[in-house]
Amino acid sequence: MVVSIRDVAAAAAVSVGTVSNVLNRPAKVAPATVERVQRAIDDLGFVRNDAARQLRVGRSRSIGLVVLDAGNPFFADVARGAEARADEADMAVLLGNADEDAAREARYLELFLEQRVNGVLITPADDDTRRLTRLRDAGTPVILVDREIPGSGFSSVSVDDIEGGFLAASHLLAGGRRRLMFLGGPQSIRQVADRLAGARRAVDAVDGATLQVVEMPALTVLHGRAAGLEVLERAAAERPDAIFAANDLLAVGAIQALSILSGVRIPDDIALIGYDDIDFAASTIVPLSSIRQPATLIGYTAVDLLLAELDDPHGDHDRNVRFQPELVVRESTSG
């Protein structure tokens, strides 16, 4: 038998309104009454119907989070930060994995709109903001995560990826490397394009330095391994002496191909640096140098911005928080 709020009210000898206040605004009810109602809830096994409540008040207690690639530990850390801040606000985070697919991203946005979430945090697959604008026009705030789209009118939390790319390439160049390879994913992903732009700036400032760009279909370990195998097919003189991978997953795959499968000495023959500084970076067969992003803080701050918009719907909705990246040096670039 389904226990209703009326059953709880009868068991506690209070009104339905008092039970509602205990569930939603307990500070307005005398402590003794709260205790009596809570005892009735426990005795009867009452479970509140949040779906019905959502229809009445027009919003749920949830936040939608759409990430570019849930298989990337960086986004797992972003989600962890978002969950921590949402929990402090008595909210839950619903996770959607776009898998670098704009159509899949659109389906998640439609689902979150139907679910009447309090807001959406998203790392968009491209610069097309029409779907996000539609969501916002329907009354659902949107915060960009790990991405800033200037002039879009959306608040964002991001890292200066151009500076991150510059740091990575500058580190390789400072170590005497001159034949650099940028191993990236689709340049339609803004983060990849920005990291490449920063690397180009560093290389262009050094006489005799070159930068070859290798674009892979996705930013995964398997694609990094495929790129490493392609490097091995070249004559030794035609190989790069350093690789800057657009994320750590690509870098790990390249290390697997170069070091494990062929015996290329890292960093003696080829130095290698990644991006994100995921937990696994320090424990690869050759500990990986990387550009660190404060992933957990990014997620936490994104929810902070969302809560600010919910508290002040007519306030500033174009706040951009940008963190600075940090170079982390390990054995893959400093043997």
Side-chain angles (χ1 to χ4, degrees), residues 26-87:
K28 293 187 174 183
V29 184
T33 304
V34 171
E35 183 179 349
R36 191 163 75 250
V37 171
Q38 190 59 56
R39 187 162 53 246
I41 288 172
D42 294 340
D43 291 344
L44 296 174
F46 171 76
V47 178
R48 67 188 295 165
N49 186 343
D50 265 350
R53 176 178 176 272
Q54 175 180 326
L55 288 175
R56 289 195 301 274
V57 303
R59 286 291 165 201
S60 70
R61 291 183 298 152
S62 55
I63 295 170
L65 170 61
V66 185
V67 299
L68 202 59
D69 177 13
N72 187 334
F74 167 77
F75 288 110
D77 288 340
V78 169
R80 185 175 293 111
E83 286 178 330
R85 184 65 185 95
D87 184 63

Side-chain angles (χ1 to χ4, degrees), residues 10-176:
V14 298
S15 69
V16 170
T18 297
V19 177
S20 178
N21 280 335
V22 169
L23 293 172
N24 301 300
R25 297 171 294 275
K28 293 187 174 183
V29 184
T33 304
V34 171
E35 183 179 349
R36 191 163 75 250
V37 171
Q38 190 59 56
R39 187 162 53 246
I41 288 172
D42 294 340
D43 291 344
L44 296 174
F46 171 76
V47 178
R48 67 188 295 165
N49 186 343
D50 265 350
R53 176 178 176 272
Q54 175 180 326
L55 288 175
R56 289 195 301 274
V57 303
R59 286 291 165 201
S60 70
R61 291 183 298 152
S62 55
I63 295 170
L65 170 61
V66 185
V67 299
L68 202 59
D69 177 13
N72 187 334
F74 167 77
F75 288 110
D77 288 340
V78 169
R80 185 175 293 111
E83 286 178 330
R85 184 65 185 95
D87 184 63
E88 293 174 1
D90 195 28
M91 294 184 184
V93 174
L94 306 179
L95 178 64
N97 175 32
D99 206 22
E100 301 178 13
D101 183 336
R104 187 168 176 174
E105 173 190 288
R107 290 194 293 273
Y108 272 116
L109 292 177
E110 190 66 30
L111 174 64
F112 288 151
L113 182 60
E114 293 171 1
Q115 292 294 317
R116 305 187 186 192
V117 297
N118 266 300
V120 169
L121 316 177
I122 183 170
T123 305
D126 54 40
D127 283 342
D128 187 348
T129 61
R130 287 175 295 180
R131 292 184 296 273
L132 305 183
T133 300
R134 174 175 173 267
L135 203 65
R136 184 174 60 188
D137 290 347
T140 302
V142 176
I143 306 295
L144 305 182
V145 179
D146 191 39
R147 183 76 173 274
E148 178 183 343
I149 303 179
S152 66
F154 291 100
S155 293
S156 67
V157 186
S158 63
V159 171
D160 188 343
D161 282 315
I162 293 178
E163 178 63 18
F166 180 80
L167 284 174
S170 295
H171 174 61
L172 296 173
L173 293 164

